[in-house]
Amino acid sequence: MTSDDGPAPVPQPRTLEDHVAPALVSGDAFFRAPYHPATWRAYAALGVGWIWHLTAGLTLWILVLVSAGVVPALGVGLPLLAVCLVAARWFGAAERARIAIQTGVTIPAPYPVPVARSLWSRLWAPIRDSRAWAATLYAFLAMFVSIAFFTIATALAAAAIAAVAFVAVGRSSALAEWSGLSWPATVVGALAGAVVLVWAASALAQYGSYLMVRLATILLGPSAADVAHARAAAAEQETRVAEAAAHTARERAVVLTESRTAAVSAADTERRRIERDLHDGAQQRLVALGVELGVARRLADKDPEHAVAALELAHREIKETLAELRDLVRGIHPAVLSDRGLDAALSALAGRSPVPVRVEVVGDLAPAGSAAQAAAYFVVAEALTNVAKHAGADSVWVRASLVPDDHPLRLRVAVCDDGRGGAEPSPGSGLEGLRGRVAALDGTFELDSPPGKGTRLTVEVPCAS
């Protein structure tokens, strides 16, 4: 039965018993035991295992016992014992592969024996290998399990087949005479006995397969010490990862605290600069403008010529005041950046620079956020100002681009000049303010300014607005 979402999911076995011996844990699986796939897998595993254990397993067991028995005789059996225990490892690997193929249960391999350097260590390594001895013990125990359960289950199944055969070939009357029961009772009893024998044989086969797999899991897989060591190593690794994450978080917190402090300091410096520019520039000019207008008003009737001269002076003051205010507003946030983008804003900065500037914009910078573009603009503006004032350069190169194959996307701006170099972001300088502005945006600030070899300033800021 299917639905629109596809076929209904098949329930998966949750434990080893559910997979290898479901008749022992589920009533439904018990009633289906004679024709359940687990029963046929169990018969196949026990049958092949009976032959494999009776040949390879018994041979391994005898060789290990004999070689161990002759070890006291001047150590003659020591090399043979080492070889036999290496063979026990191979036997265990073959048995795990057989179980995986026939039952579908994958048993993890034990840890390999450490590689020794000296000949004596190589000789002792297999003898000290507990998993090789465990595989030898498994060869002995599994031989009895496979032989006993395969023989008993096969005998029960054969008895059931014989009972049905007696009824089928018409020999039930002879069976009735032998049992002293009536013919109908004999037929019913024979069929009922056959059913019971079939179910018993199926359940025994599954249980025998389950015991064999459990033995293999205990003796052919990792030892308890290996599992404990692996768990300890995993726990230690998790602890190291957690400590590394905590250390990274602490470093990140320190960086964020420093960048926040730098951003607050930069903002305070910028506010003081704006206040100073307004007080020393525009405010003074507005005061002078008020004085000139007052003079013009007083002289309007008495001395028109002087009044006109005062008005002309006031007009010039108005123009200069507007120019200063435009420069001040441009220092806060340039209108060209909002109207025409970073490309045009950088070109405008280059046009106002007294040093020749070549601007190179790679690709479309539109994906960069407004905060990233503003930071890039002010970096270039401050850098060009420093070049004009201090670098003594003949040319400047400005390059803006998005960092390729970077997640999250980042905007990179580089400003290079051929001046005298030696620039350093000292406390209170414009470069230090730029460093704080960039750090507040979680960006990077790199300054390379060797004396006599020019200056290269590279800034990267995340593009998220």
Side-chain angles (χ1 to χ4, degrees):
M1 181 177 179
T2 60
S3 64
D4 294 339
D5 297 330
V10 179
Q12 299 296 321
R14 292 172 295 177
T15 63
L16 180 64
E17 293 87 345
D18 291 333
H19 183 74
V20 179
L24 305 181
V25 295
S26 170
D28 177 68
F30 177 79
F31 284 109
R32 294 190 296 116
Y35 54 90
H36 198 285
T39 301
W40 303 107
R41 291 196 300 266
Y43 265 109
L46 290 173
V48 175
W50 176 74
I51 300 173
W52 171 248
H53 297 148
L54 196 58
T55 54
L58 183 59
T59 302
L60 173 67
W61 175 257
I62 293 174
L63 287 175
V64 170
L65 284 182
V66 170
S67 58
V70 298
V71 165
L74 301 177
V76 175
L78 197 62
L80 179 61
L81 178 61
V83 171
C84 291
L85 290 174
V86 171
R89 274 270 187 169
W90 294 344
F91 172 83
E95 182 68 0
R96 287 193 302 272
R98 183 188 71 83
I99 290 175
I101 294 173
Q102 292 195 295
T103 66
V105 177
T106 301
I107 300 173
Y111 290 99
V113 180
V115 179
R117 295 184 178 180
S118 64
L119 180 61
W120 182 254
S121 299
R122 291 180 182 179
L123 184 65
W124 270 105
I127 299 175
R128 298 172 58 187
D129 181 15
S130 62
R131 292 291 87 189
W133 289 101
T136 305
L137 178 61
Y138 171 84
F140 179 75
L141 296 177
M143 177 179 62
F144 287 101
V145 170
S146 59
I147 291 175
F149 280 90
F150 181 74
T151 303
I152 295 173
T154 304
L156 292 177
I161 294 173
V164 174
F166 263 96
V167 175
V169 299
R171 299 296 300 274
S172 55
S173 57
L175 188 62
E177 285 183 23
W178 176 78
S179 63
L181 301 174
S182 63
W183 179 81
T186 301
V187 171
V188 172
L191 294 178
V195 171
V196 172
L197 290 174
V198 167
W199 256 263
S202 302
L204 274 175
Q206 292 188 19
Y207 185 62
S209 177
Y210 168 74
L211 282 181
M212 189 167 57
V213 173
R214 286 292 297 171
L215 275 176
T217 303
I218 296 172
L219 298 177
L220 300 183
S223 65
D226 292 337
V227 173
H229 177 73
R231 289 177 178 174
E236 183 180 357
Q237 179 65 21
E238 291 180 358
T239 302
R240 286 199 297 266
V241 170
E243 290 177 352
H247 180 69
T248 302
R250 287 193 296 268
E251 289 184 343
R252 179 64 176 163
V254 172
V255 170
L256 289 177
T257 301
E258 293 176 351
S259 62
R260 182 182 62 181
T261 303
V264 171
S265 177
D268 185 64
T269 302
E270 186 70 9
R271 180 184 60 79
R272 292 178 181 276
R273 183 189 66 81
I274 294 172
E275 180 183 6
R276 184 177 63 252
D277 291 346
L278 286 174
H279 181 271
D280 297 341
Q283 182 177 343
Q284 297 299 325
R285 291 187 179 278
L286 289 174
V287 171
L289 176 61
V291 172
E292 294 297 332
L293 290 176
V295 171
R297 185 181 62 183
R298 288 194 301 271
L299 297 177
D301 295 333
K302 299 178 181 179
D303 192 351
E305 292 182 0
H306 284 84
V308 171
L311 289 174
E312 290 179 353
L313 182 59
H315 186 256
R316 287 196 302 271
E317 289 290 341
I318 290 175
K319 289 183 177 180
E320 293 176 0
T321 302
L322 289 175
E324 285 191 5
L325 288 175
R326 279 195 296 269
D327 292 339
L328 184 62
V329 170
R330 188 183 298 115
I332 299 173
H333 189 81
V336 66
L337 184 61
S338 302
D339 297 339
R340 299 171 56 191
L342 182 59
D343 191 350
L346 295 181
S347 298
L349 285 176
R352 292 195 299 270
S353 173
V355 180
V357 179
R358 180 168 62 92
V359 177
E360 180 182 354
V361 176
V362 181
D364 183 15
L365 303 182
S370 58
Q373 293 192 30
Y377 174 86
F378 286 114
V379 165
V380 175
E382 181 66 27
L384 293 181
T385 301
N386 289 341
V387 170
K389 290 182 178 179
H390 311 294
D394 296 325
S395 62
V396 185
W397 175 64
V398 176
R399 189 176 191 271
S401 63
L402 298 179
V403 180
D405 301 329
D406 194 31
H407 300 283
L409 196 63
R410 298 174 74 84
L411 173 62
R412 176 187 294 160
V413 174
V415 181
C416 307
D417 67 67
D418 57 359
R420 62 174 60 96
E424 292 184 1
S426 57
S429 65
L431 289 175
E432 184 63 24
L434 288 180
R435 185 195 294 273
R437 182 192 290 268
V438 172
L441 296 176
D442 200 20
T444 59
F445 182 97
E446 296 181 5
L447 181 64
D448 183 19
S449 184
K453 296 184 180 180
T455 300
R456 179 183 180 88
L457 174 63
T458 305
V459 167
E460 289 185 8
V461 290
C463 288
S465 56

